[in-house]
Amino acid sequence: NPNARITKFSRDGKFLTMWGVRGSGAGQLDGPHGLAIDSRGRLFVADRTNSRIEIFDQSGKFLAEWKQFSRPSGIFIDGNDRLYATDSESTDQPGYGYNPGWKRGIRIGSAKDGSVTAFIPDPNPVGLTSGAEGVAADAEGNIYGTEVGARALRKYAKK
């Protein structure tokens, strides 16, 4: 992806700034696939090809890199700074999505400290992609995953 950049606009659509270059170093991007903002205003980027989440301030200053959420395709942060990250592609097989030791699914944790506290495994771990690629959660704690392979929306109900 030669245009691995983040572009920021004002609420009325006026261009404000842009940052990012293609690469795998700190602050570089390769396959940014999802965005979310936490309660402190930090921007979390699901940098899927680099198997990490990168965190920036509102002006594009690199703050941190988190690899504990695997190969994130989608990302969502709720009002309590609970972070949901989907991995729809990790595989132990060489080739596309190669991410040995990681399993596809939804990882849940904290946007405050980066801890991972729960994992929902991909309900169909066979094939190139099947699990949730996009993710959201409602106020009752139910989690919703958008599945590309199945072209479906799956609800994971809170027990």
Side-chain angles (χ1 to χ4, degrees), residues 35-134:
L35 304 170
I37 297 176
D38 73 358
S39 65
R40 293 172 28 195
R42 298 179 302 168
L43 176 68
F44 287 64
V45 179
D47 187 16
R48 181 168 77 183
T49 304
N50 285 321
S51 299
R52 65 186 178 186
I53 292 172
E54 287 202 295
I55 306 169
F56 298 90
D57 70 11
Q58 289 284 320
S59 62
K61 178 184 173 192
F62 173 76
L63 302 174
E65 168 189 87
W66 289 352
K67 293 193 171 224
Q68 63 270 31
F69 287 90
S70 189
R71 183 180 168 88
S73 291
I75 188 168
F76 177 77
I77 300 173
D78 70 16
N80 295 313
D81 281 334
R82 180 168 288 185
L83 189 151
Y84 304 81
T86 63
D87 179 345
S88 64
E89 296 183 345
S90 282
T91 179
D92 287 328
Q93 304 301 313
Y96 186 79
Y98 185 59
N99 196 15
W102 293 91
K103 301 293 181 201
R104 297 189 310 208
I106 301 171
R107 286 173 179 78
I108 304 162
S110 171
K112 292 179 182 178
D113 64 15
S115 61
V116 177
T117 57
F119 176 67
I120 301 171
D122 184 344
N124 182 16
V126 179
L128 181 61
T129 182
S130 67
E133 191 154 327

XYZ file of all heavy atoms in Angstrom, residues 35-134:
770
model
N -9.661 2.303 12.551
C -9.321 3.439 13.408
C -10.290 3.499 14.590
O -11.471 3.182 14.444
C -9.453 4.760 12.643
C -8.675 4.936 11.358
C -9.124 6.204 10.646
C -7.192 4.996 11.658
N -9.788 3.954 15.729
C -10.641 4.207 16.891
C -9.957 5.260 17.752
O -8.726 5.396 17.725
C -10.864 2.931 17.696
N -10.745 5.998 18.518
C -10.219 7.038 19.399
C -10.651 6.734 20.827
O -11.827 6.433 21.077
C -10.697 8.434 18.947
C -10.136 8.730 17.557
C -10.279 9.504 19.949
C -10.590 10.032 16.949
N -9.708 6.807 21.766
C -10.035 6.527 23.159
C -10.498 7.797 23.872
O -10.575 8.877 23.272
C -8.861 5.855 23.870
C -7.673 6.770 24.172
O -7.703 7.978 23.807
O -6.700 6.283 24.777
N -10.785 7.674 25.162
C -11.325 8.804 25.935
C -10.320 9.943 26.088
O -10.712 11.066 26.380
C -11.778 8.326 27.321
O -10.661 7.880 28.076
N -9.046 9.663 25.888
C -8.009 10.696 25.985
C -7.748 11.369 24.640
O -6.894 12.247 24.546
C -6.717 10.086 26.527
C -6.879 9.630 27.970
C -5.726 8.846 28.535
N -4.409 9.101 27.976
C -3.375 8.302 28.162
N -3.505 7.210 28.883
N -2.205 8.580 27.631
N -8.448 10.929 23.594
C -8.273 11.520 22.272
C -7.157 10.902 21.453
O -6.831 11.393 20.380
N -6.574 9.818 21.940
C -5.521 9.150 21.182
C -6.139 8.344 20.035
O -7.193 7.736 20.196
C -4.705 8.221 22.079
C -3.998 8.953 23.203
C -3.231 8.007 24.089
N -4.125 6.992 24.657
C -3.697 5.900 25.280
N -2.404 5.664 25.420
N -4.554 5.039 25.787
N -5.447 8.326 18.901
C -5.906 7.596 17.729
C -5.228 6.234 17.679
O -3.993 6.147 17.660
C -5.584 8.372 16.447
C -5.930 7.661 15.144
C -7.442 7.526 14.991
C -5.332 8.421 13.966
N -6.024 5.179 17.670
C -5.537 3.805 17.577
C -5.732 3.354 16.134
O -6.836 3.433 15.597
C -6.329 2.895 18.510
C -6.011 3.090 19.972
C -6.287 4.294 20.607
C -5.462 2.064 20.721
C -6.010 4.482 21.954
C -5.174 2.235 22.065
C -5.445 3.444 22.686
N -4.664 2.858 15.516
C -4.712 2.412 14.129
C -4.436 0.913 14.077
O -3.397 0.448 14.567
C -3.669 3.154 13.262
C -3.722 2.663 11.816
C -3.886 4.660 13.330
N -5.364 0.167 13.493
C -5.164 -1.261 13.269
C -4.282 -1.400 12.030
O -4.749 -1.303 10.905
C -6.511 -1.959 13.069
N -2.995 -1.573 12.244
C -2.007 -1.683 11.169
C -1.837 -3.171 10.847
O -0.878 -3.819 11.250
C -0.693 -1.043 11.629
C 0.345 -0.943 10.522
O -0.002 -1.080 9.344
O 1.518 -0.723 10.868
N -2.802 -3.707 10.100
C -2.946 -5.147 9.913
C -1.712 -5.828 9.319
O -1.267 -6.845 9.828
C -4.170 -5.427 9.042
C -4.411 -6.903 8.814
C -5.733 -7.173 8.214
N -5.734 -6.878 6.790
C -6.826 -6.981 6.043
N -7.975 -7.337 6.596
N -6.785 -6.706 4.772
N -1.164 -5.294 8.259
C -0.036 -5.961 7.607
C 1.164 -6.071 8.543
O 1.915 -7.046 8.476
C 0.340 -5.225 6.310
O -0.823 -5.162 5.486
C 1.442 -5.938 5.561
N 1.332 -5.116 9.445
C 2.420 -5.162 10.415
C 2.038 -5.870 11.716
O 2.827 -5.873 12.668
C 2.910 -3.742 10.727
C 3.735 -3.161 9.603
O 4.529 -3.859 8.988
N 3.532 -1.882 9.322
N 0.843 -6.447 11.779
C 0.389 -7.207 12.957
C 0.540 -6.406 14.247
O 1.156 -6.851 15.218
C 1.143 -8.539 13.078
O 0.921 -9.337 11.946
N -0.080 -5.213 14.263
C 0.038 -4.379 15.460
C -1.026 -3.280 15.459
O -1.655 -2.997 14.453
C 1.407 -3.720 15.507
C 1.617 -2.738 14.360
C 3.002 -2.186 14.316
N 3.191 -1.291 13.184
C 4.340 -0.772 12.850
N 5.419 -1.029 13.577
N 4.439 0.029 11.818
N -1.164 -2.668 16.614
C -1.924 -1.429 16.760
C -0.890 -0.345 17.012
O 0.014 -0.517 17.837
C -2.911 -1.500 17.940
C -4.017 -2.508 17.635
C -3.497 -0.122 18.249
C -4.924 -2.798 18.818
N -1.006 0.767 16.287
C -0.157 1.916 16.562
C -1.027 3.011 17.156
O -2.182 3.178 16.767
C 0.541 2.409 15.298
C 1.646 1.475 14.851
C 2.657 2.168 13.979
O 2.286 2.591 12.875
O 3.811 2.288 14.409
N -0.468 3.741 18.091
C -1.195 4.793 18.785
C -0.511 6.128 18.499
O 0.713 6.245 18.604
C -1.257 4.524 20.299
C -1.821 3.120 20.565
C -2.097 5.585 21.001
C -1.689 2.656 21.997
N -1.338 7.119 18.129
C -0.849 8.458 17.787
C -1.639 9.499 18.576
O -2.778 9.255 18.984
C -1.073 8.748 16.298
C -0.341 7.829 15.372
C -0.920 6.655 14.922
C 0.939 8.141 14.936
C -0.245 5.806 14.054
C 1.625 7.308 14.063
C 1.027 6.136 13.616
N -1.051 10.685 18.746
C -1.849 11.795 19.265
C -2.588 12.423 18.083
O -2.442 11.984 16.936
C -1.004 12.802 20.057
C -0.050 13.637 19.216
O -0.127 13.629 17.955
O 0.787 14.333 19.813
N -3.386 13.447 18.352
C -4.233 14.052 17.315
C -3.449 14.776 16.225
O -3.978 15.051 15.160
C -5.235 15.013 17.947
C -6.325 14.326 18.731
C -7.374 13.706 17.845
O -7.767 14.277 16.849
N -7.832 12.521 18.216
N -2.173 15.069 16.468
C -1.376 15.737 15.433
C -0.496 14.755 14.660
O 0.258 15.158 13.783
C -0.515 16.835 16.055
O 0.393 16.283 16.980
N -0.589 13.467 14.995
C 0.163 12.456 14.267
C 1.450 12.019 14.931
O 2.213 11.243 14.361
N 1.705 12.473 16.147
C 2.910 12.053 16.861
C 2.736 10.609 17.321
O 1.769 10.263 17.995
C 3.166 12.958 18.077
C 4.379 12.542 18.887
C 4.536 13.412 20.119
C 5.656 12.878 20.994
N 5.657 13.504 22.311
N 3.693 9.769 16.957
C 3.679 8.369 17.362
C 3.862 8.258 18.869
O 4.779 8.850 19.439
C 4.796 7.609 16.633
C 4.975 6.201 17.111
C 4.084 5.214 16.741
C 6.032 5.871 17.943
C 4.254 3.902 17.178
C 6.214 4.576 18.393
C 5.316 3.591 18.011
N 2.985 7.471 19.520
C 3.049 7.297 20.965
C 3.433 5.886 21.389
O 4.188 5.719 22.346
C 1.702 7.660 21.603
C 1.188 9.076 21.361
C -0.214 9.244 21.910
C 2.151 10.098 21.964
N 2.889 4.873 20.708
C 3.138 3.491 21.142
C 2.765 2.505 20.044
O 2.005 2.827 19.123
C 2.341 3.176 22.404
N 3.288 1.292 20.222
C 2.983 0.170 19.344
C 2.570 -1.003 20.234
O 3.275 -1.313 21.200
C 4.235 -0.193 18.547
C 4.140 -1.511 17.809
C 5.475 -1.916 17.221
O 6.276 -2.572 17.939
O 5.714 -1.567 16.065
N 1.442 -1.634 19.918
C 0.986 -2.796 20.669
C 0.846 -3.979 19.728
O 0.114 -3.921 18.746
C -0.359 -2.520 21.323
C -0.326 -1.547 22.471
C 0.770 -1.020 23.080
C -1.454 -1.007 23.150
N 0.391 -0.176 24.093
C -0.975 -0.150 24.160
C -2.822 -1.159 23.006
C -1.818 0.549 25.017
C -3.668 -0.471 23.850
C -3.168 0.371 24.847
N 1.513 -5.072 20.038
C 1.425 -6.285 19.223
C 0.572 -7.365 19.875
O 0.292 -8.383 19.266
C 2.822 -6.812 18.931
C 3.615 -5.868 18.039
C 4.849 -6.518 17.507
C 5.462 -5.606 16.469
N 5.881 -6.300 15.289
N 0.138 -7.148 21.108
C -0.594 -8.168 21.856
C -2.030 -8.394 21.365
O -2.712 -9.294 21.836
C -0.584 -7.844 23.360
C -1.282 -6.564 23.747
C -0.383 -5.338 23.742
O 0.555 -5.234 22.973
N -0.685 -4.384 24.614
N -2.483 -7.572 20.413
C -3.824 -7.763 19.857
C -3.766 -8.475 18.507
O -4.728 -8.471 17.758
C -4.555 -6.420 19.761
C -4.984 -5.905 21.112
C -4.150 -5.086 21.859
C -6.211 -6.254 21.647
C -4.532 -4.619 23.105
C -6.607 -5.800 22.904
C -5.759 -4.981 23.633
N -2.607 -9.063 18.187
C -2.386 -9.895 17.005
C -2.364 -9.092 15.720
O -1.708 -8.065 15.650
C -3.414 -11.036 16.961
O -3.098 -11.970 15.960
N -3.089 -9.541 14.705
C -3.087 -8.942 13.355
C -4.443 -8.258 13.168
O -5.342 -8.808 12.537
C -2.875 -10.059 12.332
C -2.771 -9.620 10.903
C -2.551 -10.844 9.995
N -2.724 -10.510 8.605
C -1.761 -10.060 7.822
N -0.550 -9.879 8.307
N -2.010 -9.786 6.565
N -4.616 -7.044 13.702
C -5.957 -6.442 13.760
C -6.465 -5.908 12.419
O -5.785 -5.158 11.737
C -5.784 -5.308 14.763
C -4.349 -4.918 14.641
C -3.613 -6.188 14.327
N -7.671 -6.329 12.095
C -8.370 -5.790 10.920
C -9.315 -4.674 11.342
O -9.381 -3.636 10.716
C -9.182 -6.882 10.226
O -8.352 -7.832 9.623
N -10.070 -4.921 12.388
C -11.019 -3.940 12.895
C -10.703 -3.604 14.335
O -10.087 -4.394 15.055
N -11.141 -2.428 14.746
C -10.876 -1.973 16.107
C -12.028 -1.090 16.561
O -12.593 -0.340 15.777
C -9.507 -1.239 16.168
C -9.104 -0.936 17.600
C -9.495 -0.028 15.286
C -7.663 -0.478 17.725
N -12.381 -1.218 17.838
C -13.449 -0.421 18.428
C -13.064 -0.162 19.879
O -12.555 -1.051 20.557
C -14.781 -1.179 18.359
C -15.932 -0.466 19.008
C -16.561 0.590 18.367
C -16.392 -0.854 20.255
C -17.636 1.247 18.961
C -17.459 -0.204 20.858
C -18.077 0.844 20.207
N -13.316 1.061 20.354
C -13.080 1.407 21.750
C -14.370 1.976 22.301
O -14.913 2.939 21.766
C -11.919 2.420 21.905
C -10.624 1.828 21.340
C -11.755 2.820 23.368
C -9.466 2.793 21.297
N -14.881 1.371 23.375
C -16.144 1.843 23.944
C -15.910 2.993 24.929
O -14.774 3.428 25.141
C -16.939 0.688 24.570
C -16.324 0.122 25.845
O -15.441 0.765 26.472
O -16.750 -0.980 26.242
N -16.973 3.479 25.527
C -16.917 4.620 26.434
C -16.138 4.370 27.712
O -15.791 5.312 28.426
N -15.866 3.098 28.023
C -15.076 2.747 29.205
C -13.636 2.399 28.842
O -12.924 1.794 29.630
C -15.721 1.567 29.940
C -17.074 1.940 30.490
O -17.235 2.985 31.105
N -18.063 1.090 30.251
N -13.230 2.751 27.624
C -11.893 2.454 27.113
C -11.609 0.954 27.028
O -10.468 0.518 27.129
C -10.796 3.162 27.904
C -10.659 4.624 27.503
O -10.998 4.971 26.358
O -10.207 5.426 28.337
N -12.660 0.178 26.829
C -12.467 -1.235 26.527
C -12.199 -1.327 25.031
O -12.942 -0.775 24.228
C -13.694 -2.059 26.906
C -13.473 -3.552 26.591
C -14.521 -4.396 27.199
N -14.272 -4.395 28.639
C -14.953 -5.122 29.493
N -15.925 -5.885 29.087
N -14.676 -5.078 30.770
N -11.133 -2.013 24.680
C -10.696 -2.112 23.292
C -11.068 -3.492 22.730
O -10.841 -4.510 23.386
C -9.179 -1.910 23.229
C -8.531 -1.772 21.867
C -7.283 -0.909 21.986
C -8.174 -3.103 21.288
N -11.638 -3.491 21.547
C -12.005 -4.709 20.827
C -11.216 -4.704 19.522
O -11.285 -3.729 18.775
C -13.498 -4.728 20.504
C -14.384 -4.567 21.714
C -14.644 -3.312 22.255
C -14.953 -5.675 22.327
C -15.456 -3.155 23.370
C -15.774 -5.531 23.441
C -16.017 -4.275 23.951
O -16.822 -4.131 25.054
N -10.461 -5.767 19.260
C -9.681 -5.855 18.028
C -9.948 -7.195 17.361
O -9.887 -8.241 18.013
C -8.191 -5.709 18.327
N -10.263 -7.149 16.077
C -10.548 -8.373 15.335
C -9.326 -8.819 14.552
O -8.584 -8.006 14.016
C -11.701 -8.167 14.347
O -11.313 -7.184 13.386
C -12.958 -7.713 15.047
N -9.133 -10.101 14.508
C -8.090 -10.709 13.685
C -8.798 -11.729 12.798
O -9.195 -12.789 13.256
C -7.043 -11.380 14.569
C -5.935 -12.058 13.780
O -6.095 -12.274 12.557
O -4.914 -12.396 14.392
N -8.957 -11.381 11.535
C -9.678 -12.255 10.610
C -8.752 -13.046 9.707
O -9.218 -13.778 8.838
C -10.631 -11.421 9.743
O -9.891 -10.526 8.933
N -7.439 -12.919 9.899
C -6.533 -13.502 8.906
C -5.369 -14.322 9.441
O -4.708 -14.993 8.658
C -5.949 -12.379 8.041
C -6.978 -11.666 7.243
C -6.376 -10.611 6.338
O -5.207 -10.255 6.535
O -7.077 -10.158 5.441
N -5.035 -14.261 10.705
C -3.838 -14.954 11.170
C -3.895 -16.444 10.854
O -4.918 -17.100 11.018
C -3.657 -14.769 12.678
O -3.125 -13.510 12.951
N -2.746 -16.938 10.406
C -2.616 -18.355 10.098
C -1.181 -18.789 10.362
O -0.258 -17.980 10.287
C -3.002 -18.654 8.633
O -2.824 -20.045 8.377
C -2.189 -17.844 7.648
N -1.005 -20.067 10.666
C 0.321 -20.646 10.835
C 0.904 -21.088 9.493
O 2.048 -21.523 9.435
C 0.270 -21.849 11.780
C 0.059 -21.439 13.226
O 0.520 -20.354 13.618
O -0.558 -22.217 13.977
N 0.105 -20.992 8.429
C 0.549 -21.413 7.103
C 1.291 -20.277 6.407
O 0.775 -19.156 6.349
C -0.653 -21.833 6.253
C -1.506 -22.929 6.871
C -0.722 -24.202 7.135
O 0.014 -24.660 6.279
N -0.865 -24.749 8.329
N 2.480 -20.545 5.855
C 3.208 -19.495 5.126
C 2.357 -18.931 3.984
O 1.578 -19.643 3.372
C 4.439 -20.227 4.586
C 4.641 -21.361 5.543
C 3.247 -21.783 5.945
N 2.492 -17.647 3.746
C 1.709 -16.962 2.719
C 0.941 -15.818 3.345
O 1.299 -15.309 4.413
N -0.140 -15.427 2.695
C -0.933 -14.299 3.169
C -1.481 -14.565 4.569
O -2.023 -15.626 4.839
C -2.085 -14.018 2.200
C -2.840 -12.777 2.560
C -2.337 -11.527 2.227
C -4.026 -12.840 3.281
C -3.009 -10.368 2.580
C -4.707 -11.688 3.633
C -4.193 -10.463 3.278
O -4.853 -9.318 3.640
N -1.334 -13.603 5.453
C -1.840 -13.720 6.822
C -0.935 -14.496 7.753
O -1.297 -14.753 8.900
N 0.242 -14.869 7.281
C 1.162 -15.656 8.096
C 1.492 -14.904 9.378
O 2.040 -13.812 9.356
C 2.431 -15.947 7.301
C 3.421 -16.850 8.001
C 3.069 -18.135 8.398
C 4.709 -16.421 8.253
C 3.966 -18.972 9.028
C 5.635 -17.245 8.882
C 5.260 -18.522 9.269
O 6.164 -19.345 9.896
N 1.108 -15.479 10.492
C 1.300 -14.875 11.804
C 1.400 -16.022 12.804
O 0.464 -16.291 13.553
C 0.136 -13.934 12.124
C 0.427 -12.993 13.275
O 1.562 -12.832 13.684
N -0.610 -12.361 13.789
N 2.517 -16.757 12.779
C 2.630 -17.981 13.567
C 2.402 -17.770 15.057
O 2.856 -16.794 15.630
C 4.055 -18.470 13.279
C 4.777 -17.318 12.684
C 3.750 -16.404 12.094
N 1.663 -18.720 15.621
C 1.381 -18.687 17.054
C 0.129 -17.915 17.431
O -0.279 -17.922 18.586
N -0.499 -17.266 16.462
C -1.693 -16.475 16.738
C -2.913 -17.131 16.103
O -2.813 -17.771 15.066
C -1.548 -15.057 16.201
C -0.513 -14.275 16.931
C 0.807 -14.167 16.612
C -0.707 -13.508 18.111
N 1.452 -13.373 17.523
C 0.542 -12.953 18.460
C -1.806 -13.234 18.911
C 0.718 -12.144 19.567
C -1.631 -12.414 20.021
C -0.393 -11.883 20.340
N -4.059 -16.965 16.725
C -5.325 -17.504 16.223
C -6.256 -16.359 15.869
O -6.241 -15.299 16.497
C -5.999 -18.384 17.285
C -5.155 -19.549 17.732
C -4.955 -20.539 16.629
C -4.120 -21.714 17.105
N -3.494 -22.425 16.026
N -7.077 -16.602 14.854
C -8.072 -15.607 14.455
C -9.172 -15.512 15.511
O -9.508 -16.488 16.168
C -8.691 -15.997 13.111
C -7.679 -16.005 12.014
C -8.268 -16.170 10.651
N -9.199 -17.263 10.520
C -9.423 -17.907 9.393
N -8.780 -17.571 8.295
N -10.299 -18.875 9.335
N -9.726 -14.301 15.642
C -10.810 -14.083 16.583
C -10.847 -12.630 17.034
O -10.230 -11.759 16.424
N -11.580 -12.377 18.102
C -11.726 -11.026 18.657
C -11.025 -10.991 20.015
O -11.359 -11.772 20.907
C -13.208 -10.641 18.816
C -13.933 -10.699 17.466
C -13.341 -9.251 19.447
C -15.445 -10.538 17.567
N -10.071 -10.085 20.139
C -9.387 -9.884 21.416
C -9.974 -8.650 22.088
O -10.206 -7.638 21.439
C -7.886 -9.729 21.195
C -7.249 -11.057 20.868
C -5.800 -10.963 20.463
N -5.305 -12.317 20.200
C -5.564 -12.994 19.074
N -6.262 -12.454 18.112
N -5.104 -14.237 18.931
N -10.199 -8.770 23.389
C -10.815 -7.701 24.167
C -9.844 -7.319 25.272
O -9.247 -8.187 25.913
C -12.161 -8.171 24.766
C -13.077 -8.659 23.644
C -12.813 -7.048 25.568
C -14.224 -9.516 24.113
N -9.678 -6.019 25.470
C -8.750 -5.585 26.499
C -8.939 -4.132 26.854
O -10.017 -3.563 26.676
N -7.873 -3.510 27.309
C -7.922 -2.147 27.803
C -7.137 -1.201 26.899
O -5.969 -1.452 26.598
C -7.330 -2.087 29.211
O -7.171 -0.746 29.630
N -7.789 -0.103 26.508
C -7.098 0.948 25.762
C -6.230 1.787 26.703
O -5.396 2.554 26.242
C -8.110 1.842 25.043
N -6.424 1.622 27.996
C -5.626 2.378 28.968
C -4.235 1.794 29.136
O -3.247 2.518 29.126
C -6.340 2.415 30.322
C -7.614 3.226 30.304
C -8.296 3.207 31.649
C -9.606 3.987 31.578
N -10.313 3.953 32.851
N -4.141 0.461 29.304
C -2.840 -0.151 29.579
C -2.440 -1.235 28.586
O -1.357 -1.809 28.708
C -2.794 -0.698 31.004
C -3.785 -1.835 31.246
O -4.331 -2.420 30.290
O -3.993 -2.154 32.435
N -3.297 -1.562 27.633
C -2.963 -2.545 26.615
C -3.145 -3.987 27.015
O -2.833 -4.890 26.241
N -3.667 -4.228 28.203
C -3.856 -5.615 28.623
C -4.956 -6.275 27.787
O -5.926 -5.633 27.402
C -4.223 -5.685 30.107
O -5.438 -4.988 30.339
N -4.777 -7.551 27.493
C -5.783 -8.354 26.807
C -6.444 -9.213 27.864
O -5.772 -9.967 28.571
C -5.153 -9.228 25.697
C -6.203 -10.107 25.046
C -4.463 -8.353 24.658
N -7.772 -9.100 27.982
C -8.475 -9.784 29.058
C -9.406 -10.890 28.590
O -9.855 -11.696 29.402
C -9.292 -8.761 29.872
O -10.182 -8.077 28.976
C -8.386 -7.752 30.546
N -9.710 -10.943 27.298
C -10.625 -11.975 26.797
C -10.349 -12.232 25.321
O -9.783 -11.382 24.621
C -12.078 -11.540 26.995
N -10.771 -13.401 24.869
C -10.596 -13.790 23.474
C -11.812 -14.582 23.026
O -12.221 -15.528 23.698
C -9.325 -14.633 23.304
C -9.112 -15.149 21.914
C -8.829 -14.283 20.869
C -9.190 -16.503 21.652
C -8.622 -14.765 19.580
C -8.977 -16.992 20.372
C -8.700 -16.117 19.333
N -12.391 -14.178 21.906
C -13.486 -14.930 21.279
C -12.888 -15.566 20.029
O -12.533 -14.860 19.079
C -14.662 -14.018 20.889
C -15.215 -13.304 22.111
C -15.749 -14.824 20.180
C -16.233 -12.218 21.785
N -12.741 -16.903 20.006
C -12.128 -17.532 18.840
C -13.008 -17.444 17.601
O -14.238 -17.385 17.694
C -11.926 -18.985 19.268
C -12.787 -19.181 20.456
C -13.091 -17.839 21.045
N -12.367 -17.442 16.454
C -13.060 -17.469 15.170
C -13.945 -18.719 15.134
O -13.454 -19.820 15.380
C -12.015 -17.511 14.052
C -12.593 -17.457 12.660
O -13.802 -17.690 12.475
O -11.820 -17.188 11.732
N -15.237 -18.568 14.848
C -16.113 -19.739 14.832
C -15.841 -20.695 13.665
O -16.274 -21.835 13.693
C -17.521 -19.138 14.727
C -17.314 -17.779 14.173
C -15.959 -17.332 14.620
N -15.092 -20.246 12.658
C -14.764 -21.090 11.516
C -13.308 -20.842 11.141
O -13.020 -20.078 10.233
C -15.687 -20.777 10.329
C -15.406 -21.668 9.141
O -14.741 -22.695 9.261
N -15.896 -21.266 7.993
N -12.356 -21.481 11.849
C -10.940 -21.148 11.661
C -10.296 -21.696 10.385
O -9.106 -21.559 10.194
C -10.294 -21.757 12.906
C -11.174 -22.892 13.266
C -12.570 -22.445 12.911
N -11.071 -22.325 9.502
C -10.524 -22.884 8.270
C -10.769 -21.913 7.118
O -11.816 -21.289 7.028
C -11.186 -24.247 7.960
C -10.655 -24.827 6.667
C -10.958 -25.209 9.119
N -9.789 -21.775 6.222
C -9.943 -20.904 5.064
C -9.144 -19.632 5.210
O -8.585 -19.337 6.269
N -9.101 -18.849 4.139
C -8.293 -17.635 4.107
C -8.798 -16.581 5.091
O -8.047 -16.001 5.837
C -8.272 -17.052 2.690
C -7.446 -15.789 2.506
C -5.988 -16.047 2.831
C -7.579 -15.269 1.090
N -10.077 -16.314 5.078
C -10.644 -15.350 6.014
C -12.083 -15.732 6.293
O -12.815 -16.121 5.397
C -10.563 -13.896 5.485
O -11.092 -13.019 6.483
C -11.307 -13.693 4.199
N -12.480 -15.685 7.524
C -13.865 -15.999 7.855
C -14.345 -15.213 9.052
O -15.487 -14.843 9.130
C -14.042 -17.501 8.125
O -13.351 -17.866 9.299
N -13.485 -14.986 9.997
C -13.893 -14.351 11.238
C -14.189 -12.881 11.091
O -14.117 -12.303 10.015
N -14.508 -12.284 12.202
C -14.879 -10.872 12.224
C -13.751 -9.994 11.702
O -12.602 -10.133 12.095
C -15.255 -10.456 13.636
N -14.114 -9.095 10.812
C -13.148 -8.120 10.297
C -13.449 -6.741 10.864
O -12.557 -5.955 11.104
C -13.175 -8.091 8.774
C -12.031 -7.308 8.224
C -11.629 -7.726 6.828
O -11.747 -8.902 6.483
O -11.183 -6.834 6.091
N -14.710 -6.446 11.093
C -15.121 -5.226 11.767
C -15.734 -5.600 13.100
O -16.174 -6.739 13.299
